[in-house]
Amino acid sequence: MRIYNSRSGKIEEFKVRKEEEEVGIYICGPTVYNKVHIGNLRTFIVGDMTRKVLKYKGYKVKYVMNITDIDDKIMKSLKEGAKMEEMKEYTEKYKNLFVKDMETLKMEKPQIEKVTDNMDSVIEMIKKIVKKEYGYKTRDGSVYYDITKDKNYGKGLKIKMNKMLTADQREGSRQIFKNDDLRSENDFVLWKPPHIDYPLLAWDSIYGKGRPGWHIECSAIAKKHLSHLHIHLGGEDLKFPHHTNEIAQCECGGDDRFGDFWMHVKFVKLNGSKISKSFGNTPYLDDIINLGYSPEVIRYYLLNKNYRKPLDFDIQHLDNSKNTLNLYYLSYAKLQLLITLSSSYSQLELPFDFNKLKNDMDFSLSNDFDIESFFTHFTKLSTFIRNYSYSESLNTSHLNYIYDYLNHLDSILNIFVPDKFTIPVEIQKLISSRELFRSQSDFVQSDNIRSIINSHGYSIIDDIIGPIVFKL
């Protein structure tokens, strides 16, 4: 395995020490004050693919995701003076909607850790940072990280600190209020006092009642739940300041390296701009499904471009994904039919080098998850199967080998839904009737039956080996 590492700016060999029993992956999850949009979902699809490729390669994987369920944006969605129970009910609603979206897009559920369930670890980590003198308390009860003490600040992800945070980055760091006690304008908050309008949404600590800063949450949860962090994932907008601050908190005072590999997923763009709730250009999963696109089409669309390239969101790209996926379905359905019929054919080698294609696909997955190259080879295989005819020799064992390999690949892709290829009895009867009319050259009746089959949501393709049917 070779993976691009934001730490070095290079593709590096991925290695796991012999004594380590599993690969530890951490991904920054959503802040649950609203539904997640399609831009967020791309990052989580990439995380899901990363986990599944590593499992496909034989690694045991532990995959942890945080849920930020305490945040100013959440509070502002509640009535003033809201109680903990009210915030929990509100955030649980959006957490569940997010989990439902993951299930819809065939993501394997990670170990989800809510910040409010890990507050002891958050407070303990702040205490350690303060004890090392990298953190300091201010008069209002806040605790800040002193970046002037940290000579390595920013180096972990090659961030040059030659200018102050921009307004957007300060907003992103959740540090949007003035504090005259700051030692440096770029110091970031670890712990802050209760919100004046939401005094009940706070926890006890040795620094007084309060709530955590954003950056400390991920550091504490990753440290607590992973014995070793091999891969840290997130959107490209989190590289600075969020991920930079995570590394600072975990490595200050000479502590061990935090995260062997850092992967950053590029934005999904709509009309050239990053999709963002703050910009008001937020297509949600339900919206896209309601336009007539299946979860498999959406998953394929989000997956089929390299994660280090931006992805354009528009209807044309979705239509292209839908058409490509239908061609893959046609190939898969034809392969099933070929296996059924192959006992009557000669037992000779397939007239193409399947092992080379297989090696090329496996290499693409191992080469920084090069999904574009993978699908180029996958399309070659799909095209070959679609174009297969009687004139070519078939080998049952080879066909089953290809079929098993495709099913194995689908543990990563999750695009070949079994019920698309399970044809109900009533549709099978219609297919048989249509074949009878075709044999009698009664194409008017056969076309009528085709229309009926299509109206039930099935595609039927006439092939030299017989009718190929799958659910659209």
Side-chain angles (χ1 to χ4, degrees), residues 3-12 257 260-262:
I3 302 174
Y4 181 87
N5 193 352
S6 293
R7 272 191 176 270
S8 65
K10 299 175 183 178
I11 293 179
E12 300 177 9
R257 177 183 171 108
D260 297 337
F261 284 79
W262 288 71

Side-chain angles (χ1 to χ4, degrees), residues 100 107 163 187 206 297 412 432:
K100 182 183 175 184
M107 293 187 229
K163 58 181 178 181
D187 289 354
I206 63 169
V297 168
I412 302 167
S432 297

Side-chain angles (χ1 to χ4, degrees), residues 149-156 251:
K149 287 256 187 178
D150 191 346
K151 304 307 178 187
N152 293 315
Y153 183 80
K155 292 180 180 178
E251 296 184 0

Side-chain angles (χ1 to χ4, degrees), residues 35-276:
K35 295 192 295 184
V36 298
H37 56 66
I38 200 70
N40 303 136
L41 288 171
R42 185 193 190 194
T43 297
F44 302 126
I45 285 280
V46 170
D48 185 65
M49 174 199 68
T50 301
R51 173 195 204 172
K52 288 173 177 174
V53 168
L54 288 168
K55 289 173 69 175
Y56 173 83
K57 295 292 181 182
Y59 292 99
K60 183 179 178 182
V61 178
K62 185 175 184 180
Y63 183 44
V64 177
M65 174 191 291
N66 81 299
I67 292 286
T68 297
D69 59 342
I70 171 65
D71 185 86
D72 285 4
K73 291 179 180 178
I74 293 170
M75 292 180 183
K76 289 174 184 177
S77 301
L78 304 171
K79 65 182 181 182
E80 289 187 10
K83 298 178 181 178
M84 280 286 188
E85 294 78 9
E86 293 172 295
M87 183 174 72
K88 181 177 180 180
E89 182 180 353
Y90 181 83
T91 56
E92 195 69 14
K93 169 188 171 183
Y94 286 109
K95 187 205 87 170
N96 290 338
L97 286 172
F98 170 58
V99 170
K100 182 183 175 184
D101 281 352
M102 286 197 294
E103 291 171 349
T104 299
L105 291 177
K106 308 296 187 297
M107 293 187 229
E108 191 175 334
K109 189 177 177 181
Q111 177 179 322
I112 291 177
E113 294 293 336
K114 297 190 293 186
V115 172
T116 56
D117 289 339
N118 288 271
M119 202 58 70
D120 289 347
S121 299
V122 168
I123 294 169
E124 189 60 33
M125 188 168 199
I126 294 171
K127 286 167 60 178
K128 290 179 180 178
I129 292 170
V130 172
K131 186 176 181 180
K132 295 176 185 176
E133 300 184 349
Y134 284 85
Y136 62 93
K137 189 175 179 180
T138 58
R139 285 173 292 179
D140 69 350
S142 298
V143 180
Y144 279 84
Y145 187 92
D146 186 353
I147 70 166
T148 63
K149 287 256 187 178
D150 191 346
K151 304 307 178 187
N152 293 315
Y153 183 80
K155 292 180 180 178
L157 293 175
K158 298 187 177 300
I159 303 298
K160 295 180 180 179
M161 294 303 296
N162 56 358
K163 58 181 178 181
M164 296 297 182
L165 288 169
T166 66
D168 284 345
Q169 288 165 341
R170 194 170 296 285
E171 167 70 25
S173 71
R174 312 302 209 253
Q175 180 189 317
I176 56 175
F177 51 89
K178 187 176 180 181
N179 191 321
D180 293 330
D181 290 344
L182 293 187
R183 296 176 183 174
S184 163
E185 189 174 348
N186 285 339
D187 289 354
F188 59 89
V189 67
L190 303 172
W191 187 257
K192 47 192 175 183
H195 194 291
I196 189 169
D197 295 327
Y198 305 95
L200 300 179
L201 304 181
W203 287 260
D204 291 323
S205 79
I206 63 169
Y207 309 107
K209 273 193 172 291
R211 53 212 164 95
W214 177 37
H215 312 299
I216 195 71
E217 301 167 359
C218 287
S219 296
I221 290 173
K223 282 276 198 180
K224 176 181 178 180
H225 294 284
L226 293 170
S227 58
H228 185 82
L229 178 59
H230 295 88
I231 300 174
H232 194 307
L233 274 144
E236 66 171 319
D237 54 331
L238 299 184
K239 187 174 182 180
F240 180 78
H242 183 51
H243 289 166
T244 299
N245 292 348
E246 276 193 65
I247 290 173
Q249 291 164 158
C250 292
E251 296 184 0
C252 65
D255 278 4
D256 292 342
R257 177 183 171 108
F258 180 65
D260 297 337
F261 284 79
W262 288 71
M263 292 173 60
H264 291 99
V265 183
K266 288 287 188 179
F267 294 135
V268 176
K269 295 188 175 182
L270 180 65
N271 300 322
S273 299
K274 168 196 171 186
I275 290 178
S276 168

Side-chain angles (χ1 to χ4, degrees), residues 347-404:
Q347 304 295 299
L348 300 175
E349 291 284 335
L350 282 171
F352 79 114
D353 191 345
F354 169 70
N355 283 327
K356 183 180 185 308
L357 270 180
K358 177 180 178 297
N359 291 338
D360 288 342
M361 284 188 277
D362 284 352
F363 176 78
S364 297
L365 292 175
S366 299
N367 188 33
D368 193 32
F369 311 101
D370 188 354
I371 203 73
E372 291 179 61
S373 174
F374 168 85
F375 276 119
T376 297
H377 301 303
F378 191 86
T379 299
K380 290 178 184 177
L381 176 59
S382 173
T383 302
F384 171 79
I385 295 169
R386 286 201 310 277
N387 294 337
Y388 214 100
S389 69
Y390 275 129
S391 61
E392 296 165 310
S393 301
L394 291 165
N395 183 306
T396 307
S397 62
H398 279 75
L399 290 174
N400 278 302
Y401 181 47
I402 295 170
Y403 184 69
D404 290 344

